[in-house]
Every structure is written in C-alpha cells, then in structure tokens.
C-alpha cells in the first residue's frame, strides 16, 4: 500500500492506494486535484468560477468543459432538492463569511437583499460553446458542496487507468472506497461523531466500491456571542441551516451525488431528506438527529453498526 497526504482544495487529502502502479496513480491524482482547484476555487482570480462570478450580470464567460460539467451537475441537484442545495448559494456564503470576520452577524436587510441573488435558475450554461453566465449582478457560484465529490469521481477514473483495484481516497468528509479491501473483505467506513475528536465515530458501515460523504454543522463553524454559526446555509432563510439534523451521510457509488446530496439533505431535514433519497437510485443515507436518533436507509441496515451507547437506531 502506498500512502500520500497533502493539503489541497482547502482540505487534507489522503490517498491509500494498492497495486503495482499505486505511486504513479497517486501522483496523477495529486495533479488532478491541483488543476481542479485552480479551475474551480472561488478564491483563485484566474479560476473559471472566479471569472464567472466576476462577470455576473454582464455576459457569458468561456470556461473549461469540466467546469461546465460540474456546474450542470450542481444545477441538477439544485433542481432535485428544490433549492435546498443551490449552486448560487455563494452570495449567502460570502455575506456570512464577511460579517463573521467583522465579528457580527448579517442583519435582516442584508439577508433580504442577498436572497434575491440566490437562484440557481439564473445560471445559464451552454455546454456546446463551453460558456456560463449568471444573469443577476452580484450573483455568486460556490462549488464547496460538490467539488470534492467531482474530484473523487475523476480520481476513481484515474485509479482505473492505472489498474488500481483497491484504494481509499479521503477528501475530508468525503471518502471514496475503490473496490474491496485486500482478501475480498469489505471496507469499513466510520461516520464522524459530531461532538468528539476527528476520527471518533458514532457508527460504521461496510461498503464495497462506494463513496461515503458526511455533512454536518459541527465540521466548520464560527462562534459569535456564544452561538455557533456553521457553514451550510439554508437558502430559504439565508441563515445557517437549522433542521433537526446534526449530521447527514450519503452512501452512493457516485461521489458527485453523495457529496451534493449530503449537503442538500442536511438542509432539508430528516423527513424531506428520506423522501428525496428514496427517489434516487443507488443512494442511501445515515442521519443523526439532535435527539441522538439515528436513521438509516433500509438497504444499509444490515451493514451499519452503531458504536455509541447514547444513540438509538430508529
Ligand atoms: P459540504 O461540506 O459538502 O456539506 O458543503 C458545504 C459547503 O457548500 C459550504 O462550505 C459552502 O461552500 C457551500 N454551501 C453552503 N450552503 C450551501 C447550499 N445551501 N447549497 C450549496 N452549497 C452550499
Ligand atoms: Mg457536500
């Protein structure tokens, strides 16, 4: 097994890869992650997404076919989740980032003004000409909720190219399990405990060739006047989402769906999340509510093990 960790796309990325060409596969994926970051980061002034946001309300910008593809996927999830995931949530993300950095929370009028900018239907994509356009000045795309899944999808293709049959790619909250563990056993994916140190899990689930992605308010937040403001915004209110969920994990073969849906379902809350996921093929979920109740899709029930005595399976 060859292992490599690096900081990329705003997170610690760890690859554990088996096989003769493991080393080459790892290096190739590393370059892939760096190129995705330079194309899709909202902070890199030469990136496609930066230029798209800077041109909001002006006109279409030419971007890479890959950027068009990830925007299309993000827009599809926005439609599917009725805007709980919104590819244009960037305006809210920026508002909260700026306000909290100034040690304050946005006021009601700022939320109201910004909410007019958050509308995934105003993102116009043209895959034929490889362009994108945000129709309203001030609109902003943020791919933070889907980019890791997209990176994991492309990484899996890279591993395949190098004949890798067994690997684990951890993108911080999004973990891709390629194939099986050695000796044909299953991988065991731990689900992070929201109140304990990194790596401490409240449940684990056995998987083969799946991606497991968890979204939770405990992951990234800032304190203001003793209140936690986390990084996932409910576009219907403009405030950090306040559903009954503490964390939401999606298990799917496709990392893109797993990533985007974990963010969407966290915002939707348990009832609507279960309903949404039931309608999508090969997508399963593990929910933890603020009452310490754990819900797991029937299809996953036999593979899940609860590790925390304070939590109840419902
Ligand atoms: P994740 O950790 O995958 O759940 O994604 C959270 C990130 O997605 C945040 O840090 C923001 O960059 C972005 N984001 C926050 N709220 C939303 C939302 N409602 N829809 C889409 N992206 C969001
Ligand atoms: Mg996500």
């Amino acid at each position: 097994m060859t292992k490599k960790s690096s900081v990329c796309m705003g997170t610690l990325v760890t690859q554990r890869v088996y096989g003769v060409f493991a080393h080459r596969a790892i290096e190739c994926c590393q370059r892939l992650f760096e190129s995705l970051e330079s194309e899709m980061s909202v902070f890199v002034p030469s990136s496609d997404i930066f230029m798209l946001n800077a041109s909001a309300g002006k006109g279409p910008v030419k971007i890479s076919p890959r950027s068009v593809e990830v925007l299309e996927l993000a827009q599809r999830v926005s439609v599917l989740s009725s805007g709980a995931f919104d590819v244009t949530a960037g305006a809210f993300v920026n508002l909260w980032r700026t306000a909290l950095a100034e040690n304050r929370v946005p006021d009601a009028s700022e939320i109201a003004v910004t909410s007019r900018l958050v509308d995934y239907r105003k993102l116009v994509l043209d895959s034929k000409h490889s362009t994108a356009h945000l129709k309203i000045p001030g609109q902003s795309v943020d791919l933070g909720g889907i980019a890791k899944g997209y990176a994991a999808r492309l990484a899996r293709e890279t591993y395949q190219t190098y004949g890798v049959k067994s690997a684990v790619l951890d993108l911080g909250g999004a973990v891709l399990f390629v194939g099986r563990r050695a000796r044909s056993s299953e991988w065991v994916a731990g689900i992070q405990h929201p109140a304990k140190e990194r790596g401490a899990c409240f449940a684990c689930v056995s998987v083969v060739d799946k991606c497991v992605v968890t979204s939770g308010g405990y992951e990234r937040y800032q304190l203001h006047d003793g209140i936690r403001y986390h990084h996932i915004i409910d576009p219907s209110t403009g405030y950090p989402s306040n559903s009954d969920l503490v964390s939401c994990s999606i298990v799917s073969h496709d990392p893109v769906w797993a990533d985007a849906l974990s963010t969407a379902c966290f915002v939707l809350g348990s009832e609507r999340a279960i309903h949404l996921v039931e309608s999508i093929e090969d997508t399963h979920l593990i929910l933890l509510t603020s009452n310490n109740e754990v819900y797991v899709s029937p299809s996953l029930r036999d593979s899940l093990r609860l590790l925390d005595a304070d939590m109840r399976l419902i």
Side-chain angles (χ1 to χ4, degrees), residues 153-183:
R153 185 197 267 189
L154 298 190
R156 178 191 269 146
E157 289 171 12
T158 303
Y159 292 142
Q160 273 162 358
T161 306
Y162 284 94
V164 170
K165 298 213 163 42
S166 187
V168 181
L169 166 64
D170 187 339
L171 291 153
V175 189
L176 172 72
F177 297 90
V178 176
R180 290 175 171 271
R181 257 174 85 183
R183 283 180 254 113

Side-chain angles (χ1 to χ4, degrees), residues 268-295:
L268 285 170
S270 56
E271 232 180 275
R272 293 169 71 200
I274 292 166
H275 188 71
L276 172 63
V277 160
E278 273 172 358
S279 68
I280 305 170
E281 218 181 297
D282 176 42
T283 310
H284 321 272
L285 50 69
I286 302 158
L287 304 176
L288 174 61
T289 71
S290 45
N291 299 328
N292 273 353
E293 290 175 338
V294 179
Y295 173 88

Side-chain angles (χ1 to χ4, degrees), residues 85 144-146 213 215 258-260 262-263:
F85 180 100
I146 195 170
V213 184
S215 288
D259 189 2
S262 73
T263 310

Side-chain angles (χ1 to χ4, degrees), residues 83-90 93 97 142-146 148 213-216 219-220 231-235 259-260 262-264 266-267:
F85 180 100
D86 192 313
V87 58
T88 65
V93 174
R97 188 187 296 119
D142 183 322
L143 295 175
I146 195 170
K148 289 179 194 174
V213 184
T214 301
S215 288
E219 275 179 14
R220 235 179 317 137
H231 68 306
I232 304 174
I233 310 295
D234 180 347
D259 189 2
S262 73
T263 310
F266 180 73
V267 172

Side-chain angles (χ1 to χ4, degrees), residues 92-169:
F92 278 138
V93 174
N94 297 339
L95 174 66
W96 279 91
R97 188 187 296 119
T98 310
L100 289 169
E102 293 166 356
N103 204 22
R104 62 182 189 90
V105 295
D107 61 36
S109 69
E110 287 175 300
I111 298 276
V113 169
T114 307
S115 69
R116 285 182 222 131
L117 306 176
V118 177
D119 183 352
Y120 57 87
R121 288 161 293 213
K122 300 290 191 294
L123 168 65
V124 182
L125 300 169
D126 181 343
S127 55
K128 195 165 154 228
H129 299 100
S130 210
T131 63
H133 175 207
L134 286 163
K135 283 177 149 176
I136 313 172
Q139 271 198 300
S140 186
V141 154
D142 183 322
L143 295 175
I146 195 170
K148 289 179 194 174
Y150 189 68
R153 185 197 267 189
L154 298 190
R156 178 191 269 146
E157 289 171 12
T158 303
Y159 292 142
Q160 273 162 358
T161 306
Y162 284 94
V164 170
K165 298 213 163 42
S166 187
V168 181
L169 166 64

